[in-house]
């Protein structure tokens, strides 16, 4: 069937509505779908630069070695001991704790380990490196494959009455939290919540003996 002339679609109200719907559909196909509305989960969290799904929980990546490579870190055959420190990370979304998975940065099938990793779900980030360096929260989050910036964590974006606030030992930290250096016995809290939320955030961690 021949396509109707363009002026027929433009002349009739129904035709204009159909044309508008077609334009929206075409835009969605070209862009891969809608972008995230402020304060809401990213509907397409696996686009460029993204990692885990929009909403927590965020599991440890299936391919730890690839995730470590994306963080710009090397895999080791064993834990290094030249630099050996521990930092604690809390992630809270609307007041609920998000589990930091075990084995981030550990590739058990290949017997390899990153200098920055987790052993359990306590939130303790282990830095065990054969050389001294400033390892950052951004590198750890890249290993976890959870995007982090001043206004987002995972697929959750600030706006619409919700925001991401970073705390270091109970004090707010401005700027991009990815730049925070992982230092011995620091407590980092990433808190995504409503603007009016006044619930207390962790200021410290009860470190077990030996850590």
């Amino acid at each position: 069937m021949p396509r109707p002339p363009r002026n027929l679609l433009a002349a009739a109200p129904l035709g204009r509505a159909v044309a508008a719907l077609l334009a929206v559909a075409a835009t969605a196909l070209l862009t891969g779908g809608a972008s995230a509305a402020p304060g809401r989960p990213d509907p397409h969290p696996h686009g460029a630069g993204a990692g885990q799904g929009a909403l927590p929980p965020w599991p440890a990546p299936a391919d730890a070695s690839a995730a470590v490579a994306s963080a710009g870190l090397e895999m080791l055959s064993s834990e290094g001991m030249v630099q050996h420190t521990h930092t604690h990370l809390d992630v809270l979304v609307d007041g609920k704790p998000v589990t930091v998975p075990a084995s981030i940065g550990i590739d058990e099938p290949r017997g390899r380990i990153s200098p920055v990793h987790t052993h359990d779900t306590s939130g303790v980030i282990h830095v065990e490196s054969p050389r001294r360096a400033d390892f950052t929260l951004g590198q750890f989050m890249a290993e976890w494959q959870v995007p982090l910036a001043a206004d987002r964590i995972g697929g959750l974006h600030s706006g619409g009455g919700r925001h991401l606030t970073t705390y270091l030992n109970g004090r707010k930290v401005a700027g991009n939290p990815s730049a925070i250096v992982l230092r011995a016995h620091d407590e980092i809290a990433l808190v995504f919540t409503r603007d009016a939320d006044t619930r207390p955030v962790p200021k410290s961690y009860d470190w077990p003996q030996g850590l």
Side-chain angles (χ1 to χ4, degrees):
M1 179 180 294
R3 183 175 179 174
R6 291 177 61 88
N7 62 342
L8 290 182
L9 288 174
L14 179 60
R16 287 197 297 271
V18 171
L21 289 172
L22 289 174
V24 170
T27 301
L29 287 173
L30 290 172
T31 62
S35 60
R40 295 185 180 180
D42 186 343
H44 297 282
H46 295 284
Q52 302 271 18
L55 294 173
W58 297 301
D63 189 338
S65 290
V68 170
S70 75
L73 297 174
E74 62 179 333
M75 293 298 273
L76 310 171
S77 58
S78 62
E79 296 171 333
M81 297 303 294
V82 173
Q83 183 170 337
H84 189 183
T85 59
H86 304 93
T87 304
H88 188 259
L89 174 64
D90 277 297
V91 180
L92 301 171
V93 174
D94 292 328
K96 297 179 180 180
V98 175
T99 299
V100 179
S103 297
I104 294 174
I106 299 177
D107 192 331
E108 294 180 359
R110 297 184 177 98
R112 310 288 284 177
I113 188 169
S114 165
V116 180
H117 55 268
T118 61
H119 287 291
D120 52 33
T121 58
S122 65
V124 173
I125 302 172
H126 297 249
V127 173
E128 294 166 346
S129 171
R131 60 185 64 84
R132 296 199 174 275
D134 283 341
F135 298 98
T136 66
L137 179 61
Q139 289 174 312
F140 175 74
M141 298 300 285
E143 289 186 339
W144 191 3
Q145 295 287 280
V146 176
L148 178 66
D151 61 349
R152 76 172 292 191
I153 181 169
L156 299 172
H157 298 251
S158 295
R162 299 168 86 196
H163 65 282
L164 176 66
T165 305
T166 304
Y167 296 86
L168 180 61
N169 301 322
R171 299 191 177 198
K172 288 185 180 181
V173 177
N176 192 336
S178 293
I180 294 175
V181 175
L182 301 175
R183 302 197 186 280
H185 288 190
D186 273 353
E187 160 65 30
I188 301 171
L190 300 174
V191 182
F192 187 85
T193 189
R194 303 249 169 225
D195 295 338
D197 193 343
T198 59
R199 282 173 286 197
V201 299
K203 296 181 180 180
S204 62
Y205 179 65
D206 187 11
W207 291 96
Q209 188 175 2
L211 283 185

